[in-house]
Structure formats: structure tokens, C-alpha cells
Amino acid sequence: MSDIKKVAVVGGGTMGNGIAHVFAISGFQVKLVETSRELADKALNTIGKNLTRMVTKEKISEKDKEEALLRIQPELNLTEAVKDVDLVVEAVPEHFKLKKKIFAEIDEHAPEHTILATNTSSISITKLAAVTDRSNRFIGMHFFNPVPVMKLVEVIRGLDTGDEVIQAIIEISEKLGKVPVQANDSPGFVSNRVLMPMINEAIYCVYEGVAEPKAVDDVMKLGMAHPMGPLRLADFVGLDVCLDVLNVLYDGFKDPKYRPCPLLVKMVDAGKLGDKTGEGFFKYD
Ligand code: NAD
């Protein structure tokens, strides 16, 4: 049995605030680390709004919401935040140098028993673990957006990750009401290795004039029962993020089957990144 009670979530953006939300509503004490008071407040506001939505849908009571919010303590000092926690989940932007710096600091100041987990979508778990002196207590804990809604946690074993650490993360994921699925460390893990080539192929269909974006998405929605077409999903994920992940696959396997479609590259160059810029394969208000 794992005895994880206190958790630090580093980064309170899209993923971090969702991760803090699910830990807090499941009864864990959470320290939410951000770089400024303003960003920490923004994360807490988002969590408050999302919890209110759960109250409206009668999934939790007003009291559950208030108690969950009280369990989240915003922190601006990483060293201070990790000094007495049992688990750290890192969710800062997808840059190796930034994550490396953060994990070196966490490793220095967190107690020996603390498990270090990263929510990275594409960086090697083994390479990040090697930044620390506890690669046996380092693991990938890959949540999906929006975190309070999506059931999957991809649990990724690095080269040295200990069995008891895998077990602890499986147990804790279940306590969060999630379904943990194990994978070994490999470029894109399972999720992005399967998803991104499908998105890339959908983009090739548009690039080669096989079909319009809406037609490509309709085929996958109506014929394959996908809840969202691959191009709509690419816009939601961010075309820049899709390109980065495809490049990770391409570089990692040195296999031309992962070559990003030139149209994807062109759209990223043009700043058409999807929902976040108001235009990608579709337009948004
Ligand atoms: P984001 O940019 O929305 O949020 C990152 C947050 O980290 C920001 O709020 C930023 O202020 C904060 N931050 C930056 N430096 C920090 C530091 N030194 N200390 C504390 N906080 C710091 O990014 P995101 O989409 O939430 O992605 C975070 C991670 O999750 C990435 O590794 C990404 O690959 C992964 N991921 C993202 C998704 C997704 O759909 N967005 C899905 C799965 C995994």
C-alpha cells in the first residue's frame, strides 16, 4: 500500500490545475507551485470554476468543493513546497532544460522517500530521471486534457523505475478515480505514438487534396465512432504541440513514417495553431 498523503504539483497551467483539482477532490493535501502570485491565483480560480461546474452537475456537494479548495496551498517557492511531500507531479512547459533544472532542485530538497513524477507528453522518462540521484523513484504519470474528465493515466516506467513505485502510482491513480495503463519508456509512449501519426495522416489527406478538413473529420467521426475528428483534435491540442511531438517521434525512431506533413509545418510557421490562436484547420471565435 502506498502512503502518499501530501502532493506537490509543479506548474498550474492547463494540466497542472487539473491535476491539483483531482488530487484535492480525492482528499490529498496539495501544494500548487507557480512562478507568480497572479498565475497561482489564476490556477486556483480555474479550479474553483471547474469544481463549481461539478456542483451544478450534482457530482459533488458545495461542502466537497469548499473542502477541496482548502486542501490546495499555493506556493511560489519550489524548495519550500517539496520539503515535506510524498509525491511531486511536474507539469511545467515541455522544455527539457526547464524540466531538468526543476528536477535537480526538487531532488535536492524533497525527502528521500518522495516519488518524482513527470506529466511530460514526449520527453524520455529515463533521460529526465538521470538528472536526479533517485532514478528508481522517478516515473511518468501522463494525464490527459481536461484532467478532471479524462479517465486515462499512462504510467510510464523509465529504465530504473522500481516496481514499488509503479505500484504506488497505479494505486494513487485509482484513488483519483482514473484508470492507469502501464507502458515502457519509448518515444511518444503509446498515446502519442498512435495518435500523432493518425493526425499527421489526416493532415496529409488535406495537403494532397484528398478531402477537405470537415470531410476528413466526418469520416472518422461517423465511420469510426471517434467523438472528435483528428483535425478538430489537432486544433484542440495545438498544432505546434502536434509538430513538436511528431518531431520527437521522427528523431527518436529515425523512421520517415513519422515525418511531419509539410502543411502542418506551414500552418505552425503562419501562427495558425488551432483553438489558442482562433484558427487552425477550423476557425474559432
Ligand atoms: P501550460 O503552459 O498550460 O502550463 C505550464 C505552467 O507551468 C504555466 O502556468 C507556467 O507558469 C508554469 N511554470 C513555468 N515554469 C515554472 C516553474 N519554474 N515553476 C513552477 N511553474 C512553472 O502547459 P500544459 O499544457 O499544462 O503542459 C504541461 C506539461 O504537461 C507539458 O510537459 C506537456 O507536454 C504535458 N501535457 C500537456 C497536455 C495538454 O493537452 N496540454 C496533455 C498531456 C501532457
Side-chain angles (χ1 to χ4, degrees):
M1 261 312 267
S2 86
D3 40 13
I4 294 169
K5 294 195 173 58
K6 290 185 183 173
V7 180
V9 177
V10 186
T14 309
M15 297 304 288
N17 75 59
I19 295 168
H21 170 138
V22 294
F23 273 107
I25 200 69
S26 308
F28 294 89
Q29 291 296 327
V30 181
K31 294 193 179 162
L32 180 54
V33 189
E34 257 298 349
T35 50
S36 70
R37 165 59 56 187
E38 200 187 12
L39 286 168
D41 286 347
K42 191 174 160 209
L44 284 172
N45 266 332
T46 305
I47 296 169
K49 273 189 210 152
N50 290 338
L51 285 168
T52 301
R53 193 172 306 137
M54 290 175 78
V55 175
T56 312
K57 288 184 177 169
E58 295 181 356
K59 287 186 175 161
I60 59 169
S61 67
E62 184 65 33
K63 184 166 170 274
D64 294 335
K65 171 189 145 183
E66 295 305 331
E67 285 176 359
L69 284 172
L70 286 174
R71 284 189 207 105
I72 306 176
Q73 184 187 326
E75 266 284 359
L76 301 182
N77 184 328
L78 180 61
T79 300
E80 196 57 35
V82 301
K83 72 176 189 207
D84 63 348
V85 296
D86 309 304
L87 168 68
V88 178
V89 183
E90 167 276 315
V92 302
E94 191 76 340
H95 304 304
F96 177 70
K97 275 191 184 159
L98 175 64
K99 291 189 194 279
K100 182 177 167 184
K101 180 176 152 276
I102 284 173
F103 274 119
E105 183 174 343
I106 295 170
D107 189 34
E108 193 182 334
H109 298 283
E112 238 172 67
H113 76 276
T114 306
I115 295 175
L116 310 189
T118 174
N119 185 51
T120 181
S121 310
S122 62
I123 299 174
S124 159
I125 304 303
T126 306
K127 190 171 162 189
L128 279 171
V131 167
T132 72
D133 284 331
R134 60 176 99 189
S135 54
N136 59 332
R137 299 193 73 71
F138 197 101
I139 192 165
M141 194 176 185
H142 189 200
F143 290 86
F144 290 77
N145 185 26
V147 180
V149 177
M150 301 300 274
K151 283 282 177 199
L152 177 63
V153 176
E154 208 175 15
V155 177
I156 303 130
R157 178 194 285 273
L159 190 64
D160 292 337
T161 311
D163 287 342
E164 71 290 358
V165 171
I166 300 272
Q167 202 44 45
I169 295 302
I170 286 175
E171 279 176 24
I172 207 157
S173 301
E174 285 167 349
K175 281 189 192 160
L176 301 179
K178 303 294 181 198
V179 179
V181 176
Q182 285 189 65
N184 289 322
D185 192 19
S186 176
F189 316 131
V190 172
S191 49
N192 280 320
R193 182 169 177 177
V194 175
L195 174 66
M196 288 302 165
M198 184 189 68
I199 285 179
N200 202 36
E201 207 56 39
I203 301 172
Y204 268 111
C205 285
V206 177
Y207 178 64
E208 292 173 5
V210 177
E212 293 294 315
K214 182 177 178 309
V216 173
D217 274 13
D218 282 349
V219 166
M220 299 307 286
K221 282 194 290 185
L222 304 174
M224 325 297 165
H226 286 201
M228 210 186 237
L231 299 173
R232 176 69 196 91
L233 182 56
D235 280 356
F236 177 69
V237 170
L239 299 189
D240 51 340
V241 174
C242 294
L243 179 58
D244 285 347
V245 176
L246 277 163
N247 278 323
V248 166
L249 292 170
Y250 188 59
D251 295 341
F253 291 111
K254 310 277 187 267
D255 185 331
K257 77 176 175 184
Y258 300 110
R259 179 177 76 109
C261 176
L263 176 59
L264 174 62
V265 177
K266 206 183 268 183
M267 288 180 74
V268 172
D269 285 346
K272 295 181 182 183
L273 307 181
D275 297 30
K276 60 186 159 193
T277 59
E279 187 177 351
F281 288 98
F282 303 99
K283 288 196 169 145
Y284 307 93
D285 288 331

